[in-house]
C-alpha cells in the first residue's frame, strides 16, 4: 500500500461570533482506496495559513511511502526537514495533521479503532469538564462580563450533568471589553484582583463544593500575577491552576513552589523534549498535549508514556474541529494516566459540528469513546466544497 496524494484544506467560514476561526485539515489517499483524515489544530489565533502551507510542504515527502509505517514517516518528517527538530507549533501542527491521517488509515486497514492499536481501551467513557465558560455555554459565543454571567454559565453546565467546569475569570472586563497584557501582567492593583476572585467566589457558591473548578489563565498572566491570584484562589478549592505563566519550566516551578496548587500546562508545549523539564522538577501535575499540534498520535503517545513515569495525569487539549475531538478520545481511552477530557464550548457550535460526519457530545458529564475503525470520524463534503483545497501528488 502506498500514499498517492494528499489534500490540504483551509476552511474559511468566518462565523460572526468567531471571524478568525479557520480549521486546517487534510486527507491522505492510498492506492487501495483507503484514506485518512487529519487536522492541524491551529484553528484560532494566528498561524492557520502557515499550517496550511506546512502540510503541503511535508506532504511532498511522504508520497509513495507505506502509510502503515507511521514511526518511519514521523522520523523522516522530524529529522529530514531541519526546522522540525525541537518542536514548534507550525511545523508540528503540519506533522500532526499527516500523522493523524496515517493512524486513521492504519485503523481502517486493520478494521479496528485506533485505541486498539495504542494498546487497548482502558475505559468505555471519559469524564468531561465543560470548558471555557467565559465564552458562554450555548450555541454561539456570548462573552461573560458580569458576575451573574459567570454564575449562569456555570449553573447551565452543571444542570447538564457536568461535575467539572473550566473558566478564565480574567478574559473580559466588566465594562465589556477584552483585557490586554497591560492589565493582566506584572503586579495587579486591588481592583483587578477583586474582579477575578469575586467571579471565582460567586461561581463556587453557585455550584457548591462537589463541582470541580479549573481556573484557566491562558498564560495571559505572568508568574507574579499567578502568585497574587493563586494565593486567594486556594480557599475556593480549584482542581487545577491552568497555564499560570508563559510555558517556561523555571517560571512554572516558581509558581508551583509558591502556591502548592496543582498546575496544568501543555497546549503550547510541542514535544516530549519540551515536557521533560516539567516532569523532572515536579512542577506539573496535569499535562495537556494537543494531538493536533504536538506531533500527532505518534508523539502524543510518547508524551503520555513519559508523563506516566512521573505519575503525571493527562488531559488532551481539544479546541478545533470534531476530528480533533475523536482523536483525543482515542488517545485518552488507551492511556493509564488519563485524568479528564476537555469538552470545549466550540464543540457546541453548528459551524464547527458540520465539518465532520459524527458529532460526539457528552451525556451527563461523560463522553463515549468511538468504536468505529480508525479515529472514529471523518470530514464531510462541506470541507471540500467550502474550503481551499490544494492537492499534493
Amino acid at each position: 500500500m502506498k500514499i498517492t496524494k494528499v489534500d490540504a484544506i483551509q476552511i474559511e467560514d468566518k462565523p460572526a461570533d468567531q471571524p478568525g476561526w479557520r480549521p486546517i485539515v487534510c486527507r491522505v489517499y492510498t492506492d487501495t482506496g483507503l484514506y485518512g483524515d487529519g487536522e492541524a489544530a491551529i484553528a484560532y489565533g494566528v498561524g492557520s495559513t502557515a499550517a496550511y502551507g506546512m502540510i503541503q510542504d511535508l506532504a511532498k515527502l511522504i508520497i509513495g511511502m507505506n502509510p502503515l509505517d507511521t514511526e518511519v514517516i514521523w522520523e523522516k518528517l522530524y529529522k529530514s526537514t531541519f526546522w522540525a527538530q525541537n518542536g514548534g507549533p507550525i511545523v508540528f501542527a503540519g506533522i500532526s495533521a499527516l500523522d493523524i491521517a496515517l493512524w486513521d488509515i492504519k485503523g481502517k486497514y486493520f478494521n479496528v479503532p485506533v485505541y486498539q492499536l495504542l494498546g487497548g481501551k482502558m475505559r468505555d467513557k471519559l469524564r468531561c469538564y465543560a470548558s471555557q465558560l467565559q465564552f458562554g455555554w450555548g450555541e454561539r459565543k456570548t462573552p461573560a462580563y458580569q458576575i451573574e454571567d459567570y454564575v449562569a454559565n456555570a449553573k447551565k453546565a452543571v444542570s447538564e450533568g457536568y461535575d467539572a467546569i473550566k473558566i478564565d475569570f480574567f478574559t473580559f472586563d466588566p465594562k465589556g471589553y477584552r483585557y490586554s497584557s497591560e492589565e493582566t501582567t506584572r503586579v495587579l492593583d486591588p481592583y483587578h484582583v477583586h474582579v477575578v476572585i469575586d467571579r471565582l467566589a460567586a461561581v463556587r457558591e453557585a455550584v457548591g463544593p462537589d463541582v470541580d473548578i479549573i481556573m484557566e489563565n491562558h498564560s495571559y498572566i505572568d508568574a507574579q500575577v499567578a502568585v497574587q491570584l493563586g494565593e486567594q484562589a486556594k480557599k475556593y478549592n480549584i482542581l487545577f491552576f491552568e497555564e499560570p505563566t508563559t510555558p517556561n519550566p523555571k517560571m512554572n516551578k516558581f509558581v508551583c513552589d509558591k502556591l502548592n496548587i496543582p498546575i496544568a500546562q501543555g497546549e503550547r508545549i510541542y514535544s516530549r523534549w519540551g515536557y521533560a523539564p516539567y516532569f523532572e522538577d515536579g512542577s506539573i501535575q496535569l499535562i495537556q498535549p494537543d494531538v493536533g499540534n504536538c506531533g500527532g498520535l505518534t508523539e502524543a503517545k510518547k508524551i503520555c508514556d513519559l508523563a506516566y513515569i512521573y505519575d503525571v495525569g493527562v488531559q488532551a487539549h481539544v479546541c478545533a474541529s470534531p476530528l480533533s475531538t475523536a482523536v483525543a478520545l482515542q488517545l485518552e481511552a488507551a492511556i493509564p494516566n488519563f485524568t479528564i477530557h476537555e469538552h470545549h464550548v466550540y464543540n457546541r457550535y453548528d459551524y464547527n459540528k458540520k465539518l465532520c460526519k459524527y458529532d460526539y457530545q457528552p451525556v451527563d458529564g461523560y463522553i463515549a469513546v468511538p468504536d468505529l475503525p480508525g479515529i472514529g470520524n471523518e470530514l464531510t463534503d462541506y470541507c471540500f466544497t467550502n474550503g481551499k483545497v490544494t492537492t499534493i501528488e
Side-chain angles (χ1 to χ4, degrees), residues 72-85:
V72 173
I73 290 174
W74 198 95
E75 284 294 304
K76 180 178 183 179
L77 296 178
Y78 182 70
K79 291 185 175 176
S80 70
T81 54
F82 193 83
W83 296 112
Q85 291 196 56

Side-chain angles (χ1 to χ4, degrees), residues 251-263:
M251 299 317 297
N252 201 78
K253 181 168 173 53
F254 170 81
V255 174
C256 183
D257 290 347
K258 287 283 186 180
L259 296 178
N260 194 28
I261 296 176
I263 302 292

Side-chain angles (χ1 to χ4, degrees), residues 95-234:
I95 292 174
S96 296
L98 295 173
D99 183 77
I100 291 166
L102 297 181
W103 278 93
D104 193 25
I105 291 171
K106 185 181 287 191
K108 292 173 181 175
Y109 179 82
F110 290 108
N111 197 34
V112 295
V114 162
Y115 67 69
Q116 199 70 60
L117 302 175
L118 295 175
K121 184 168 61 172
M122 300 197 70
R123 51 197 68 85
D124 292 320
K125 60 181 182 178
L126 309 178
R127 184 192 180 202
C128 301
Y129 67 82
S131 183
Q132 309 298 343
L133 300 188
Q134 73 275 8
F135 296 133
W137 193 244
E139 307 305 316
R140 61 186 301 276
K141 184 182 286 188
T142 53
Y145 297 121
Q146 304 302 321
I147 285 179
E148 52 263 34
D149 299 331
Y150 291 85
V151 168
N153 295 341
K155 284 184 173 181
K156 183 175 182 182
V158 171
S159 73
E160 294 177 8
Y162 292 92
D163 64 359
I165 58 177
K166 181 165 82 178
I167 304 175
D168 188 328
F169 296 98
F170 207 7
T171 300
F172 300 109
D173 184 86
K175 296 175 184 176
Y177 67 89
R178 190 163 188 149
Y179 283 118
S180 72
S181 60
E182 274 297 298
E183 296 161 293
T184 60
T185 57
R186 302 182 296 275
V187 177
L188 297 183
D189 57 49
Y191 167 77
H192 287 99
V193 172
H194 282 301
V195 166
V196 175
I197 299 302
D198 289 353
R199 287 168 172 174
L200 170 61
V203 168
R204 170 53 75 200
E205 182 179 3
V207 301
D210 297 326
V211 173
D212 283 321
I213 299 174
I214 300 171
M215 188 171 175
E216 168 74 278
N217 302 281
H218 284 112
S219 297
Y220 293 153
I221 63 176
D222 59 20
Q224 303 298 333
V225 173
V227 172
Q228 260 190 300
L229 295 178
E231 286 286 2
Q232 296 202 37
K234 274 185 179 183

Side-chain angles (χ1 to χ4, degrees), residues 298-320:
T298 299
E299 181 69 3
K301 182 60 163 60
K302 291 184 175 73
I303 292 169
C304 295
D305 290 343
L306 183 59
Y308 188 44
I309 295 173
Y310 293 90
D311 291 338
V312 173
V314 176
Q315 167 245 295
H317 176 255
V318 183
C319 181

Side-chain angles (χ1 to χ4, degrees), residues 14-64:
K14 296 185 178 177
D17 60 330
Q18 183 77 326
W21 186 250
R22 183 178 290 166
I24 305 297
V25 294
C26 73
R27 176 165 286 177
V28 176
Y29 301 84
T30 70
D31 58 357
T32 65
L34 286 178
Y35 60 82
D37 293 339
E39 179 166 16
I42 311 285
Y44 60 100
V46 176
S48 58
T49 52
Y52 177 56
M54 183 59 68
I55 292 173
Q56 296 172 52
D57 288 350
L58 295 174
K60 299 170 185 176
L61 302 176
I62 68 173
I63 301 299

